[in-house]
Amino acid sequence: MQQKKLSWLIKAMFILPGASTTVWAQDGASTASASEPLVVTVTGIRASVRNALATKEAANNMIESIASEDIGKLPDTTIAESLARLPGLSSGLDRGNASQIIARGLGPRFIGATLNGRELASSEPNRAVRFEQFPSESLSGATIHKTQSAELVEGGVATSIDLLTVEPLKFKGRQVSLKADALYYPIANQIQGASNAAPRVGGIYIDQFNNNTLGVAMAFSYQDQPSIQKNVRHWGFNEDHSADLNGDGKVDKTPWGFQDEVRRGKDQRSSALGKVEWKASTDAFITGDIYYAKSAINERGQQHWSGDVGNWDGWQKANYSNLDIRNGYVVGASVNNVGLTTNDFVWVQDTSNLAGGLNGKFNLADWKLEADLSTSRAQRSSQWRDLRQFAKSNATVSWSFTGNENQTYSYGQDTGNPANFGAPTMYVDTDGHLKDELNAIHLTGSRAIDLGAVNKVKFGARFTDREKSYSQTTWNVSPTATLPDSAYETVRVSGMAPYIALKDFYASAYSIFGANVFDATGRPQSQNDLLSGWKVKERSSSVYAQADLDGAMLGTTYRGNAGVRVVHTSQTGAGMESVNGATPSPVTGGTSYTEVLPSLNLIFAMDDKQEKQIRFGMARAMSRAPLDEMRASRNLNVDSNPAQPLTGSAGNPELKPMLADQVDLAYQWYFGKGALLSAGAFYKKISRYIGITQDKTTINGRAALITRSVNGKGGDVNGVELVYQQAFTGLPAPFDGLGVASNYTYTTSDIKENMPAANPFSVEGLMKHNGGIAFWYEKAGYEARISANYHSAFVRNPTWTAGQLILNGAETYVTLNLAKQLTSQLQIRFGVDNLTNQKVVYTSANNPYQQEVSEFGRRFNLGVSYKM
């Protein structure tokens, strides 16, 4: 109910400003007309808002902009949190942090990501970039392109996000900023053995040398974040092999089981940036930069698994009692003689991301030339180390999972007593390694011309070479000795059944499983491991031509750009193939394609100052297929009857990119400094949408029915966006420090996923309602901001496995930030993230009773910033 109220509040914000905007605009005009000019230095939140709007107003595309409030000070800890607040954008969460971005009703597959205009490699199996890897110290802002132009790197049907690092020669004099925070997680107090506090530090140094012709910037950050989570998960229902339990003649669908889980680990993140700018002459400007980010996750956790309640063909009917059956689903019951598994695990995951390049800008007569060489690398290594034990005796399990976050259960035995469980087995599932390498060269040339409405022409070419691969190994080890009960401890967690865990996980593991228990060296890969490995190569070249426009039409001036980009790509997927369970053998496949991407952007000035604008954009955009789905791997079954098709599952190295013909129209009124009232609409006609389905195809001359990703027909995405923001500088003091920023987006689509078959999900990423409100105050050294962001339910894929779609429930995230400038150099800060303790709720198979609920809790921070 609170989320619905907030949704209506966000909508109401756009009914209110009509009257007030005129008053404030008039006040601003009278101030500007004063005989004596007033010079005011604006910093902090107000400066960020003004700079972002100034960039948005001047752009020839429809964009959103994020500007740093000061050196090394973005509005949030990472750029992901800032992006998720923008109109039309939101984010899925990972470990309680904003991570992958969703835009205009489309998920991460439709988001293009660049750093200083350069495409980024990804430590995810597809192409999606985790934006939380970019801390505030390393970035000066971001530009989010909602309409396309020919000069933009292809790959963002929903939006293209360009992250920007600092430019040292734009500063005057040496700049140094340092900050330190203490983070506090109260949910850790509910979990025995969890850490509730952690540090975060960061800083940036900027300087200029040699008469301001040489500039350098260096930035760093480090955060030791507790990775804490409470989770209860339903495993789904036996849909077609259950039986009648209550005698009404109807089949009652029983659950496969459920589990609970607690994590109490560490998520250590660090990053470093180095950048050099050299103004070699008036006609040559050279830039070199490198960015590196590393994450090391080490999560200790415990689980209970309770299965054996699926009632396959009715074999457990006599054991069921206390039935709660709703719409044919058994959502609550007690079942006798059910087993229990306890898991004491460690999840380790190490990722690294590197991006760097060399850029040169040169003047040659009337031409401006630019050459850019870049590389981006990403790696990810992970391993699940699971000490698994089964209960020595079965018990009566009871549960009530009725949806709406209602999850109550009992395992019927003492789960915190190690004497109740048998000998352990160590499962390493899986030891996985991913690698992504992307190299590119980008060449452009532009010159001013006077040819009617065309005032500038630009030509360019880009060449890329990308290779991504994944391999894994799984194994399990039986003990060679017995662990005494004294090696365990009981872990108690508020609201959950107690767990058993090793007091010293590694010492105990090495003592009974051997010193190399977690070492993959020399271990054979299982058949599934071989079939899970893959490699994809992709080479692409693109050329473009673009004209910048500035003219008049029907008494109205306009500006913008028109152009075309032509892209040619060849791709090869490799993997392993198994036929009827035979030893896997190598298999490859691939395709190539050429796409023509025209674009047009026009901004019509409705007044002399261009404060009132009508913006129009039209383009064809593309988003390439997820790299992991372009693998050639396949697992085939052969029917002895040649008339019957082959069956199985596979990747698809012949996937083509998804395309969108799109139109944008918006009215924007910049009625004062830091003030905007905007209403817009967008339409995207998406073709070749990629979804997983049973594909009728031909393999080795024989008909086949294969479950894999294919290019489908697509459909429409429609939406409206409303924006209102204003700094109330016309109010009497001290209220002249107030400001508001609000946005609301409504999106619909007729695109459906291919699963579940009986009731398919809407397109991944579709949020019907999405918006936010932020109130801020800045005056006399005080800063305050409280923001609330809401989105309705949307479909996402939070796992590594393609096609594992779930419905992420509606959420409202509230954040509070306070700061006081104690001196010209020293500031103290306090903040609370997830102020209302919003939980994350997943619903699987479009079944409201099949829920997974996770709780990450609130996060408090107390910090200081020092600027020299």
Side-chain angles (χ1 to χ4, degrees), residues 149-176:
S149 59
E151 63 184 329
L152 288 178
V153 174
E154 69 278 357
V157 164
T159 189
S160 295
I161 300 173
D162 187 25
L163 308 179
L164 307 170
T165 57
V166 295
E167 300 174 78
L169 285 181
K170 287 190 175 181
F171 290 83
K172 293 182 178 179
R174 180 177 299 165
Q175 306 275 330
V176 179

Side-chain angles (χ1 to χ4, degrees), residues 567-677:
V567 181
H568 177 76
T569 302
S570 61
Q571 62 193 41
T572 302
M576 302 291 278
E577 175 186 85
S578 176
V579 180
N580 274 351
T583 301
S585 58
V587 61
T588 60
T591 190
S592 63
Y593 54 85
T594 300
E595 303 294 347
V596 180
L597 310 174
S599 60
L600 171 68
N601 291 279
L602 294 174
I603 299 99
F604 296 92
M606 308 307 293
D607 62 330
D608 292 339
K609 294 183 179 180
Q610 298 194 36
E611 292 175 345
K612 298 177 182 179
Q613 303 177 356
I614 292 179
R615 292 180 172 246
F616 174 78
M618 182 169 59
R620 168 166 282 193
M622 62 175 274
S623 287
R624 291 188 172 89
L627 287 160
D628 55 333
E629 287 302 283
M630 291 160 55
R631 68 190 187 278
S633 312
R634 55 195 187 194
N635 191 7
L636 304 177
N637 303 308
V638 181
D639 194 299
S640 57
N641 181 357
Q644 296 297 315
L646 304 174
T647 58
S649 60
N652 188 354
E654 298 179 0
L655 286 172
K656 299 292 181 65
M658 296 175 283
L659 298 176
D661 294 324
Q662 48 196 42
V663 178
D664 290 78
L665 180 65
Y667 172 79
Q668 297 176 351
W669 180 21
Y670 298 87
F671 58 89
K673 291 183 177 180
L676 169 66
L677 186 62

Side-chain angles (χ1 to χ4, degrees), residues 207 231 256 319 374 381 388 500 580 593 605 623 626 705 772 811 832 838 845:
D207 212 342
N231 172 276
W256 295 117
N319 292 337
S374 65
S381 297
R388 194 174 305 173
I500 61 170
N580 274 351
Y593 54 85
S623 287
L705 188 62
E811 296 169 337
V832 186
Q838 172 70 59

Side-chain angles (χ1 to χ4, degrees), residues 323-628:
L323 293 169
D324 182 358
I325 302 174
R326 305 186 187 187
N327 300 317
Y329 290 94
V330 180
V331 299
S334 296
V335 185
N336 299 329
N337 198 30
V338 177
L340 178 69
T341 306
T342 186
N343 306 72
D344 182 12
F345 69 85
V346 177
W347 169 253
V348 292
Q349 174 184 296
D350 295 315
T351 62
S352 63
N353 297 80
L354 182 145
L358 183 65
N359 179 278
K361 296 181 174 71
F362 309 95
N363 297 327
L364 184 62
D366 294 331
W367 286 90
K368 295 183 180 296
L369 306 177
E370 182 176 352
D372 190 273
L373 299 171
S374 65
T375 186
S376 182
R377 311 290 175 95
Q379 293 186 351
R380 174 170 173 169
S381 297
S382 58
Q383 194 178 89
W384 179 271
R385 303 164 178 173
D386 181 7
L387 186 83
R388 194 174 305 173
Q389 297 173 257
F390 299 95
K392 293 178 179 178
S393 60
N394 294 343
T396 298
V397 172
S398 301
W399 77 90
S400 178
F401 285 26
T402 58
N404 293 323
E405 301 182 30
N406 179 37
Q407 298 173 307
T408 60
Y409 56 93
S410 171
Y411 296 118
Q413 57 182 295
D414 184 1
T415 57
N417 186 355
N420 290 337
F421 295 90
T425 301
M426 183 65 73
Y427 289 81
V428 179
D429 183 15
T430 59
D431 179 81
H433 300 273
L434 180 138
K435 186 176 183 180
D436 191 5
E437 297 184 2
L438 172 61
N439 300 309
I441 179 172
H442 195 172
L443 306 171
T444 63
S446 64
R447 63 168 295 172
I449 64 172
D450 186 6
L451 184 62
V454 179
N455 62 13
K456 186 179 183 180
V457 292
K458 179 181 287 188
F459 305 93
R462 178 175 176 265
F463 308 93
T464 66
D465 191 347
R466 187 170 193 173
E467 180 175 300
K468 193 160 193 168
S469 60
Y470 174 74
S471 64
Q472 69 176 46
T473 308
T474 62
W475 66 90
N476 60 76
V477 184
S478 298
T480 58
T482 302
L483 277 178
D485 290 349
S486 60
Y488 296 87
E489 64 178 346
T490 300
V491 176
R492 302 190 184 278
V493 179
S494 176
M496 307 180 82
Y499 300 89
I500 61 170
L502 294 174
K503 294 177 181 177
D504 189 328
F505 184 89
Y506 288 104
S508 296
Y510 295 146
S511 69
I512 66 169
F513 299 112
N516 66 342
V517 59
F518 304 122
D519 187 356
T521 303
R523 298 188 187 275
Q525 291 180 289
S526 68
Q527 178 133 329
N528 181 65
D529 290 336
L530 293 171
L531 293 173
S532 297
W534 50 268
K535 179 184 289 186
V536 171
K537 295 182 179 181
E538 181 181 79
R539 289 187 174 180
S540 182
S541 57
S542 59
V543 294
Y544 68 88
Q546 178 174 302
D548 286 357
L549 308 175
D550 191 352
M553 179 188 302
L554 301 176
T556 301
T557 61
Y558 68 87
R559 57 187 169 87
N561 56 59
V564 63
R565 189 178 188 95
V566 180
V567 181
H568 177 76
T569 302
S570 61
Q571 62 193 41
T572 302
M576 302 291 278
E577 175 186 85
S578 176
V579 180
N580 274 351
T583 301
S585 58
V587 61
T588 60
T591 190
S592 63
Y593 54 85
T594 300
E595 303 294 347
V596 180
L597 310 174
S599 60
L600 171 68
N601 291 279
L602 294 174
I603 299 99
F604 296 92
M606 308 307 293
D607 62 330
D608 292 339
K609 294 183 179 180
Q610 298 194 36
E611 292 175 345
K612 298 177 182 179
Q613 303 177 356
I614 292 179
R615 292 180 172 246
F616 174 78
M618 182 169 59
R620 168 166 282 193
M622 62 175 274
S623 287
R624 291 188 172 89
L627 287 160
D628 55 333

Side-chain angles (χ1 to χ4, degrees), residues 168-169 207-216 276-279:
L169 285 181
D207 212 342
Q208 305 81 33
F209 306 93
N210 197 26
N211 295 323
N212 290 321
T213 61
L214 182 66
V216 298
V276 177
E277 292 181 332
W278 178 35
K279 188 176 181 181

Side-chain angles (χ1 to χ4, degrees), residues 127-138:
R127 300 178 190 269
V129 170
R130 288 189 173 272
F131 289 94
E132 76 268 33
Q133 68 177 285
F134 297 98
S136 61
E137 290 82 6
S138 298

